[in-house]
Amino acid sequence: MTTNAADTLAIEGGTPVRSTPFPERSIAEPAPDEQPIETLEHEFAAYLGIDAANAIAVASYEVAVTLALSALAIDTSPGGEVVVPALGAGRIAAVLRDAGLALVPAEVEADTANLGTRGLAKSIGDRTRLVAGVHAFGHPFTGTDVARVLEPHSLPLLEDASAAVGASYRFRPTGTLGSAAVFEFAPPHLITGGGHGGAMLVLADAAAAAAARAQRDAASDTIDQTAASIALAELRGAADELSARRQLAWELTFDLRARKGVSGMSHSRWVMHAYDGYV
């Protein structure tokens, strides 16, 4: 039996489909709004279906996570632990570790690389003060199922939804599944801010959001105006960009369906994927 080289994966000696880098994504023209920061907060909140006061644009991802810890009144004194996914949580884990929390990795779901209920339940202990989940590659983790595991322990859930703008689980947008969420604006995410930095902090509780906003203003940790203008333009184009990503993902999945040893990321009818990455 002969094997057609065109049907052999490049990693197994076949010819690569592409040998040159993909073109860089073009940077959106800044939105012309006179108050881009306030407008970004209002439109981002509307996109998630939450109150505008609960979305706070900040200078960086690190600021967003730090403000979330403060707003949620997380005790970061020595001995406290935070449960994080065993894979893909390096970004948020570094900030949480620097804040003083000990990291406890939880087993992830094999088919999605997301935090799952089984791994989470085994990782919660007497010292757990917070659970941080990451929506891997734009695939939302099962937020409502995770919430049921946390409820008896009265533990807050912090989402890293940077890769999942536009994703949802059981019709609930990512960023609204827990007590707080952070969205980093940076490539290759849907919202990049043009590479000027910035992030959005979303809080479920109005009083916590008001306290975080006051803390941001006191420290002058507001997002840069240029980053806000570009992020606003990208947010307004999010529907078209998501549609294009989903169409491309469908085509890739169709093309790979007969490849030996290749399987796509699993979906359920409750999942709306953002395809920040195709796995």
Side-chain angles (χ1 to χ4, degrees):
M1 178 179 177
T2 60
T3 301
N4 187 337
D7 293 330
T8 304
L9 295 177
I11 197 172
E12 296 174 347
T15 303
V17 174
R18 187 182 187 94
S19 58
T20 57
F22 285 99
E24 293 290 334
R25 180 182 168 194
S26 59
I27 297 175
E29 288 293 326
D33 300 65
E34 293 183 0
Q35 296 182 310
I37 297 173
E38 293 81 357
T39 306
L40 174 63
E41 290 177 336
H42 278 74
E43 294 193 15
F44 200 95
Y47 190 76
L48 297 180
I50 62 173
D51 191 287
N54 290 25
I56 306 156
V58 299
S60 69
Y61 178 86
E62 291 78 10
V63 168
V65 176
T66 302
L67 283 178
L69 292 175
S70 178
L72 297 176
I74 303 300
D75 180 3
T76 58
S77 59
E81 297 177 346
V82 55
V83 176
V84 298
L87 292 175
R91 191 87 169 88
I92 196 166
V95 183
L96 295 170
R97 181 193 57 215
D98 290 346
L101 294 169
L103 305 177
V104 177
E107 177 186 355
V108 298
E109 300 292 345
D111 54 351
T112 67
N114 271 323
L115 182 67
T117 54
R118 181 179 62 178
L120 175 59
K122 292 192 297 184
S123 301
I124 293 174
D126 294 338
R127 297 179 179 179
T128 306
R129 295 172 183 170
L130 176 70
V131 171
V134 180
H135 300 289
F137 311 109
H139 189 297
F141 63 75
T142 56
T144 51
D145 301 332
V146 167
R148 281 196 295 271
V149 176
L150 298 183
E151 188 174 2
H153 304 279
S154 299
L155 288 170
L157 171 63
L158 172 60
E159 299 174 66
D160 183 339
S162 305
V165 175
S168 64
Y169 180 69
R170 290 184 178 269
F171 308 107
R172 288 186 58 181
T174 51
T176 67
L177 303 175
S179 305
V182 294
F183 295 83
E184 181 178 27
F185 298 159
H189 302 317
L190 186 70
I191 300 181
T192 70
H196 295 279
M200 187 69 72
L201 169 63
V202 172
L203 289 155
D205 181 76
R213 186 178 297 278
Q215 190 173 344
R216 176 204 68 176
D217 293 344
S220 299
D221 276 331
T222 307
I223 189 173
D224 175 81
Q225 291 251 0
T226 301
S229 296
I230 296 175
L232 181 57
E234 292 172 327
L235 179 63
R236 289 170 177 170
D240 289 340
E241 176 68 19
L242 282 169
S243 178
R245 289 185 179 198
R246 287 168 179 152
Q247 176 64 26
L248 178 58
W250 185 89
E251 292 175 2
L252 286 169
T253 300
F254 183 82
D255 290 342
L256 291 170
R257 70 195 187 285
R259 293 288 181 179
K260 180 184 67 175
V262 178
S263 60
M265 183 174 283
S266 68
H267 281 64
S268 77
R269 63 195 181 103
W270 301 116
V271 167
M272 181 63 76
H273 205 306
Y275 290 108
D276 203 67
Y278 183 83
V279 180

